[in-house]
Amino acid sequence: MGTGKYQIAELKVSTANYQDILGDERKDMLRDRILEIIVGDKKYREKNYTASKLAAELGTNLRYISAVMTERFHTNFNGLMNKHRIEEAMKLLTAEEYSEISINEISEMVGFGSRQAFYASFFRFLNTTPREFRVRHLGPKKRKKYPKKA
């Protein structure tokens, strides 16, 4: 029982049983398969790809996916997906051949469901907006000059 006037107990650090059951070898195998599916198969581009779908593809359950995400990737499923989306967005935003494609189109190409989600994640990862990032790497967008009307 706790000590003192408020009966405050010491915080016990424990791990869930399923984390112990998995074992390091199984966690490493799941980590490699997760990367193969999310990165190799570019599942991060799919807006509706979920941890449940990943678990089904791996023939495992959400608890195991969660444990591997936490222990091997130090994030959750959404964090891992967004990391790879942002990495691809950075490449597209700085590629000359994509300079005419809007930031909204790029956000859709890399798998974000909304402009707000893209901007929030981009800022969280890089502490800048996608537009500022693009301007910094490509310079301001050159506007086409039209002849003046007489």
Side-chain angles (χ1 to χ4, degrees), residues 100-111:
E100 294 297 317
I101 294 178
S102 75
I103 291 173
N104 287 344
E105 288 175 298
I106 287 175
S107 84
E108 290 174 9
M109 289 169 64
V110 299

Side-chain angles (χ1 to χ4, degrees), residues 65-110:
I65 296 293
S66 177
V68 171
M69 290 291 175
T70 301
E71 291 188 24
R72 296 300 190 257
F73 296 106
H74 308 288
T75 188
N76 59 23
F77 175 80
N78 289 331
L80 185 66
M81 294 287 283
N82 288 341
K83 174 186 181 285
H84 291 289
R85 288 171 176 161
I86 296 300
E87 286 175 356
E88 184 169 357
M90 289 167 54
K91 290 175 189 171
L92 297 177
L93 288 167
T94 58
E96 195 65 46
E97 62 267 25
Y98 289 94
S99 64
E100 294 297 317
I101 294 178
S102 75
I103 291 173
N104 287 344
E105 288 175 298
I106 287 175
S107 84
E108 290 174 9
M109 289 169 64
V110 299

Side-chain angles (χ1 to χ4, degrees), residues 13-79:
V13 178
S14 64
T15 59
N17 288 341
Y18 62 86
Q19 290 179 331
D20 295 334
I21 291 169
L22 266 175
D24 287 336
E25 191 174 310
R26 176 99 169 121
K27 288 176 191 171
D28 290 340
M29 187 275 302
L30 282 172
R31 178 201 58 217
D32 294 344
R33 286 285 294 130
I34 288 169
L35 285 174
E36 189 179 304
I37 291 169
I38 290 177
V39 180
D41 297 344
K42 298 189 185 282
K43 292 290 186 177
Y44 62 85
R45 288 182 177 173
E46 296 179 21
K47 294 174 188 160
N48 299 318
Y49 194 73
T50 63
S52 296
K53 290 179 182 178
L54 176 62
E57 279 191 59
L58 292 171
T60 191
N61 63 51
L62 284 174
R63 287 186 174 182
Y64 289 1
I65 296 293
S66 177
V68 171
M69 290 291 175
T70 301
E71 291 188 24
R72 296 300 190 257
F73 296 106
H74 308 288
T75 188
N76 59 23
F77 175 80
N78 289 331

